[in-house]
Amino acid sequence: MIEIGLALAAASKAFNLIQQGVEAGQDAADLIGKIGSFYDAKEKVQEAKEEVDRQKAKGIYASGSVENYALKVVEAEMKIKKYEEQVKKIFVDKGKTPQYKRMMRIREEERYRRNQQQIKENRLKREKLKRQQDFKNLMFAILAAIFCVGGLGWIIAFISSL
């Protein structure tokens, strides 16, 4: 699990590299790799937040105060939003607004596709676990039946010997 602070640091570093490229006069197309690194780091911030939420749902809490965690989340969200606005401005300033809008549309489509894939995978996992549990229940029932029949046979044999 990646920590929110580390993910934010990666996003900050990627954004600083983007800014350096812009200041050096690089075109938006030349910055694609750096912009991609920024969005990867942005995704890691979100994943870190979601992982903490999943851990809380399981009753596992991170060390540190609740306030500290809340501050980290708010800080990460604010900085990422600021960075993202500046990335958009880079595209707009370079006359690449259509490319930026297309990227955002593709991003939403891909996020939806990945979400649907995750839902499908989770459904398959639940079905597999249910089949496994049903199999275990069946084996237990068969074993219990064998013991009952065996116990009944033992009782009949015992009574017959009297």
Side-chain angles (χ1 to χ4, degrees), residues 83-97:
Y83 294 155
E84 205 164 15
E85 288 170 358
Q86 290 177 344
V87 167
K88 179 180 180 181
K89 187 177 181 317
I90 290 168
F91 275 88
V92 171
D93 290 349
K94 299 285 184 179
K96 304 286 185 178
T97 303

Side-chain angles (χ1 to χ4, degrees), residues 73-135:
V73 169
V74 169
E75 176 191 27
E77 289 173 344
M78 287 173 39
K79 283 187 176 182
I80 290 293
K81 183 177 179 182
K82 177 183 145 192
Y83 294 155
E84 205 164 15
E85 288 170 358
Q86 290 177 344
V87 167
K88 179 180 180 181
K89 187 177 181 317
I90 290 168
F91 275 88
V92 171
D93 290 349
K94 299 285 184 179
K96 304 286 185 178
T97 303
Q99 288 90 340
Y100 182 81
K101 287 181 179 179
R102 184 165 186 258
M103 181 182 73
M104 292 296 108
R105 183 177 45 77
I106 292 170
R107 177 177 80 168
E108 290 306 314
E109 290 169 357
E110 181 62 13
R111 181 170 284 130
Y112 177 79
R113 186 195 68 75
R114 288 182 185 188
N115 188 26
Q116 293 302 308
Q117 182 65 29
Q118 186 65 44
I119 289 169
K120 182 180 176 181
E121 288 173 8
N122 289 343
R123 186 178 305 124
L124 291 173
K125 283 179 188 176
R126 281 192 310 273
E127 289 171 0
K128 181 180 178 184
L129 287 172
K130 184 179 181 329
R131 283 192 308 270
Q132 288 174 341
Q133 188 61 45
D134 289 346
F135 180 75

Side-chain angles (χ1 to χ4, degrees), residues 14-31 34-35 86-87 89-91 93-94:
F15 181 76
N16 290 336
L17 290 173
I18 293 168
Q19 272 190 320
Q20 289 171 3
V22 169
E23 290 168 3
Q26 289 182 319
D27 189 66
D30 299 331
L31 297 171
K34 294 173 185 169
I35 292 170
Q86 290 177 344
V87 167
K89 187 177 181 317
I90 290 168
F91 275 88
D93 290 349
K94 299 285 184 179

